[in-house]
Amino acid sequence: MATASTPENGDYFVKSAEKTLSVLLAFTGDRPALSVTQVAEATDLTRAAARRFLLTLTDLGYLATDGTLFKQTPRVLDIGASYLAGLSLPQAAKRHLVALAQELDETATLSVLDGQDVLYISRVAAPRLHSVTLNVGSRLPAWVTSMGRVLIAELPEAAREDFIQKIVPQEFTSRTISTTDALRAELLKVKEQGWALVEQELDEGMRGVAVPITRGGEVIAALNVSIQPGRAKREVLTDRVIPLLQATAQRIADDFGGRQLSAGAAGS
């Protein structure tokens, strides 16, 4: 439905702009193709007025029609392009990290590869925690973290092997995968399954679960939650935590322009 103007709207208020936006917003994922009558009903416009708006938007390239039904074109993405262009990945991810941390009551982190390290670019502590020891700008050896393994696993084969060759293996705990052969096998497993689980390899009493964030077919970051072993059984990780991470990663990618890239690819 169109948003009705209110007494607070001043003399500046342009009703035709409101109506234009209401026509564009009438199209949804569930209703991608609409007739003149359906648009009129959705926007509280007369059929004649709805038809004029639809034909004008078609002439401008924002809609296409087969003579009966109208659909949005990829050009509607231009409306939000400048906003997306100025949006940083941490900004796009922040609200999703907050929601994830609250949902799981665990700390959620976003990181990227920087040399041989993972670099924390956004982090939201679990609501139950009053402080965190790692913050934005912190670095950890990528090969021994769940986020790092997700990011290394998605590198092209030659780049991945070069990365592995530069690692200086060491045993941070008794559980650390500390040989290049074992690490290489683990990275192949991570790439195949699409997520990484690191069980107390860097720090006793802590495990990390991570998934990649992909935009336009390119992995741009990793999303992770850190969970103490006693707080969740392994089946909880695979049945609940990982699917929630993957859904959150998709939402972050979409807000960072991933939906725009996908639509552009589909129209090419």
Side-chain angles (χ1 to χ4, degrees):
M1 290 290 181
T3 302
S5 60
T6 67
E8 288 75 26
N9 295 142
D11 293 339
Y12 62 84
F13 196 81
V14 181
K15 288 290 294 182
S16 59
E18 179 189 32
K19 292 175 181 177
T20 300
L21 290 173
S22 71
V23 169
L24 284 174
L25 293 173
F27 296 87
T28 67
D30 295 330
R31 304 179 72 190
L34 298 172
S35 66
V36 172
T37 299
Q38 289 172 319
V39 170
E41 292 173 349
T43 58
D44 287 336
L45 293 171
T46 64
R47 191 177 183 284
R51 181 175 179 274
R52 288 198 300 273
F53 278 100
L54 287 167
L55 291 176
T56 299
L57 287 166
T58 299
D59 286 346
L60 292 172
Y62 292 103
L63 298 177
T65 182
D66 62 3
T68 302
L69 297 177
F70 292 81
K71 294 182 178 181
Q72 291 183 338
T73 71
R75 188 169 185 178
V76 298
L77 297 170
D78 293 345
I79 296 172
S82 60
Y83 171 76
L84 290 172
L87 190 66
S88 73
L89 179 56
Q91 287 175 322
K94 188 67 174 183
R95 68 187 182 95
H96 300 296
L97 292 180
V98 170
L100 182 63
Q102 291 176 343
E103 174 76 15
L104 295 175
D105 197 19
E106 303 290 355
T107 298
T109 305
L110 192 72
S111 75
V112 295
L113 268 183
D114 187 23
Q116 294 292 110
D117 299 332
V118 283
L119 174 67
Y120 287 27
I121 61 173
S122 189
R123 187 166 171 87
V124 175
R128 59 188 165 81
L129 299 179
H130 298 293
S131 64
V132 292
T133 56
L134 292 169
N135 292 295
V136 172
S138 295
R139 293 172 176 272
L140 290 173
W143 65 274
V144 76
T145 68
S146 61
M147 288 183 289
R149 287 184 185 171
V150 160
L151 294 169
I152 300 166
E154 293 296 335
L155 291 173
E157 185 176 354
R160 184 169 66 246
E161 185 59 31
D162 181 62
F163 194 103
I164 292 171
Q165 293 300 321
K166 292 178 181 178
I167 292 171
V168 179
Q170 64 183 101
E171 293 187 0
F172 291 94
T173 74
S174 61
R175 297 170 179 263
T176 306
I177 295 176
S178 57
T179 68
T180 53
D181 286 343
L183 179 61
R184 190 178 289 109
E186 180 66 17
L187 291 172
L188 291 175
K189 176 184 175 183
V190 167
K191 183 174 179 61
E192 181 179 339
Q193 65 191 13
W195 51 269
L197 170 62
V198 172
E199 292 266 15
Q200 304 183 74
E201 292 188 42
L202 181 62
D203 188 10
E204 293 283 2
M206 188 58 67
R207 60 184 174 185
V209 191
V211 300
I213 297 176
T214 304
R215 184 177 74 156
E218 177 187 2
V219 173
I220 57 173
L223 174 65
N224 150 286
V225 288
S226 300
I227 303 175
Q228 295 174 349
R231 285 182 55 81
K233 296 181 179 179
R234 188 180 178 94
E235 54 265 30
V236 174
L237 297 179
T238 55
D239 294 346
R240 179 172 181 248
V241 176
I242 291 170
L244 185 56
L245 277 168
Q246 291 170 331
T248 302
Q250 184 61 60
R251 286 191 286 270
I252 292 171
D254 287 346
D255 280 2
F256 192 50
R259 185 182 291 114
Q260 178 187 19
L261 291 175
S262 296
S268 62

